[in-house]
Every structure is written in C-alpha cells, then in structure tokens.
Amino acid sequence: RAAEWQLDQPAWSGRLRITAKGSTAFIKLEDKSSGELFAQAPVEQFPGVAVEGVTDSSRYFVIRIEDGNGRRAFIGVGFVDRGDAFDFNVALQDHFKWVRQQSELARQAQDLEQGPKLDLGFKEGQTIKLNIANMKKKEGGAGSTRPRPAGPGGLSLLPPPPGGKSGSGERPAPLSTPAQLPGTPITDSLLSWPQPTAVPAADVWGDFAKASG
C-alpha cells in the first residue's frame, strides 16, 4: 500500500526512463540534472515480479532494482502526474507486445523450415503440354497453305475484298463467258480471252483465184 510510504519525504527524486535491449526492458532512474544513473530494474516479463502496482493507487509501483553483481532490492516509486503513470504502463505493455509478435513470427518461420519442401523443378524426361486456344493464322500469312479456288480454264479467282460478306457463307458464282456491257470493252487481263482475227469477206478465195491451172 502506497499509504504506508513516507510520500511527503521521498528518499530520492529524479526522472524515470525506459529503454529496451532485445526482449528485455530496463527501467532506469536517473538524476534529472546530470542524467547520472541512480538505479535500474531489468524487466523480462510484464506483468511480473520485476514491476508490480500497489493496491491503493494507480500512480505508485514496486520495482526490483539490480546492481549487476547479483544484488537485488525492492523499492517503491511513484509519479506526481497520473498521465506519467499511464505512459509508464503503456510503454511496458507495448514492448512486451512486440516481444510476443517477434516470438510468434520466429515460430512460424521455424515451422515452415521443418515442414516438407515442395520440389517444383522438372524431373528428367518430364514434359508439359500447353493448350493455347483461339489461335488463328493471319489471312495470307507466310505460313498459310490454303489453296486458292480456281475458276474455269485454270484462271485464279481473286479473294473477296476485306469489306465483303466473307462470313455469310456465300460463294462467288463460277465464271462463264465474260460479260460485256454495250460500248464497254473488257480490259481485265484475268477475264479476257484472245479474239480470232477476222478475215475480210471479199478476199476469202483470193489465194485460189491466183493459183495456176
């Protein structure tokens, strides 16, 4: 109980600082002017025997100080301001919360190392098959071996224009006699045939008339 202490005549007054090294927190009592260390209490667990709160106040605690040579002593400390006492509690709680998180992460990493490891490499002679869907060759590409349709007489028909209805299922009609509009000569070299040379009617028998006998 803090009421049993001589609160009006403290044996020492100064500043309190909390530091950490690894998983251990250190409560350091220092001179408020020079910073000289008066005493320190290593804390390895909180709550624990190294730091205990009193039963009649939230501003006073009992801490276990050590001199580094194995000697220990329990002393009572208190804060004038209640907010400083609250910060003292929170600082210790945050530190050991971090310690528990680090311990949990280390345990999970150890479990992963000890667990079975997946071998994702290829074995000797192992093959895989890739199924790539919707792969179409470009029309007219170098790798295309599709024959072009041939018309009558061995003439090659030109493919339909890109804007045509190639997907409707319609096919071009087979080419027959070249059609010629009145007054329009056929100039397409793919659709024209050589015309026989007309012989004048007046000279049909010319060669026979000149023959002797």
Side-chain angles (χ1 to χ4, degrees), residues 33-116:
S33 300
S34 63
E36 182 182 359
L37 181 65
F38 172 73
Q40 71 174 2
V43 183
E44 298 179 354
Q45 184 180 356
F46 182 79
V49 295
V51 180
E52 294 182 285
V54 298
T55 58
D56 58 341
S57 176
S58 62
R59 296 187 293 116
Y60 292 86
F61 303 86
V62 176
I63 65 174
R64 184 181 62 186
I65 60 175
E66 298 181 7
D67 63 353
N69 295 322
R71 294 186 300 177
R72 299 176 177 179
F74 289 91
I75 64 173
V77 297
F79 297 91
V80 177
D81 186 80
R82 196 175 302 275
D84 292 337
F86 176 81
D87 292 341
F88 173 76
N89 258 316
V90 171
L92 291 173
Q93 291 173 2
D94 288 347
H95 170 73
F96 287 100
K97 180 180 179 181
W98 174 82
V99 170
R100 288 190 297 270
Q101 290 175 348
Q102 295 300 313
S103 177
E104 181 67 19
L105 292 176
R107 186 186 63 80
Q108 292 178 1
Q110 185 177 4
D111 292 343
L112 290 177
E113 291 179 357
Q114 294 178 354

Side-chain angles (χ1 to χ4, degrees), residues 145 153 190:
T145 58
L190 295 177

